Amino acid sequence: MTDHNDEVIANLRYNVRINEEEGHVDHDLIKVACLDWLEGLSLQQNHFDVVMAADCVYDPDSVPALVKLVKTCLSVAKPDSKAIFATSRRNMKTFELFKNVMNEASFEWRDESEKVTHLKTLFSPSCSVMLNRNPKREDIKLYVAKLRGD
């Protein structure tokens, strides 16, 4: 789990610790770190099955860096690895930019907003994470993306 804001990082660590204490997560499976999309990350020791991005498509200036980082993560991952974007459509121009940059970066992606009510649908039957969607919030969308096999 990553963010660039120190307060968010502290909150992520707190949530991981609470979930560990309650037996919901294994400490070795979830890491919390600061990540600047423009600087990227070292991938020598990081191989991802799933990259999740929540509420990250809001600043048009950061969209290319976000997409590049996700593409880099998936390019060294297993062939069936995917990215999941949970995003609201605050600004349609920014969302259109996101769609265009995703397409230019060789992603195939689909809107799974209506189909997914539980993350087991996206991961595996052993996943215990619930996805709470408010049906009144039609502006929040869930997209699943994979790199095209060009």
Side-chain angles (χ1 to χ4, degrees):
M1 303 176 91
T2 64
D3 203 283
H4 194 253
N5 179 289
D6 290 336
E7 289 180 32
V8 174
I9 295 289
N11 193 42
L12 288 171
R13 287 190 173 122
Y14 170 79
N15 283 304
V16 169
R17 188 179 79 247
I18 294 298
N19 279 282
E20 286 172 350
E21 291 170 1
E22 294 180 5
H24 298 298
V25 296
D26 180 347
H27 176 74
D28 295 329
L29 296 178
I30 298 182
K31 304 290 184 213
V32 176
C34 183
L35 176 62
D36 183 333
W37 298 342
L38 296 174
E39 292 178 14
L41 72 160
S42 170
L43 295 176
Q44 290 90 357
Q45 297 176 336
N46 296 300
H47 296 278
F48 307 95
D49 295 325
V50 177
V51 175
M52 295 182 70
D55 200 25
C56 292
V57 181
Y58 55 86
D59 177 5
D61 293 336
S62 68
V63 167
L66 170 64
V67 172
K68 180 180 177 184
L69 180 66
V70 172
K71 182 175 182 175
T72 300
C73 290
L74 293 184
S75 68
V76 298
K78 298 175 187 174
D80 60 342
S81 296
K82 62 187 97 178
I84 301 169
F85 294 90
T87 185
S88 65
R89 296 184 187 181
R90 290 186 184 109
N91 180 313
M92 284 310 292
K93 285 185 181 180
T94 303
F95 185 75
E96 288 299 318
L97 172 66
F98 172 68
K99 286 176 25 179
N100 292 336
V101 174
M102 288 288 287
N103 289 329
E104 290 169 7
S106 298
F107 277 99
E108 58 185 46
W109 54 301
R110 64 191 183 281
D111 184 343
E112 294 286 334
S113 304
E114 300 304 319
K115 298 177 188 173
V116 177
T117 57
H118 197 287
L119 289 183
K120 285 182 182 180
T121 309
L122 297 174
F123 298 117
S124 70
S126 63
C127 179
S128 64
V129 178
M130 291 298 295
L131 175 65
N132 297 317
R133 292 195 72 244
N134 181 342
K136 295 178 182 177
R137 291 292 311 267
E138 294 178 9
D139 61 321
I140 298 175
K141 299 294 182 181
L142 188 69
Y143 298 95
V144 177
K146 295 177 79 167
L147 286 173
R148 281 192 290 266
D150 296 339

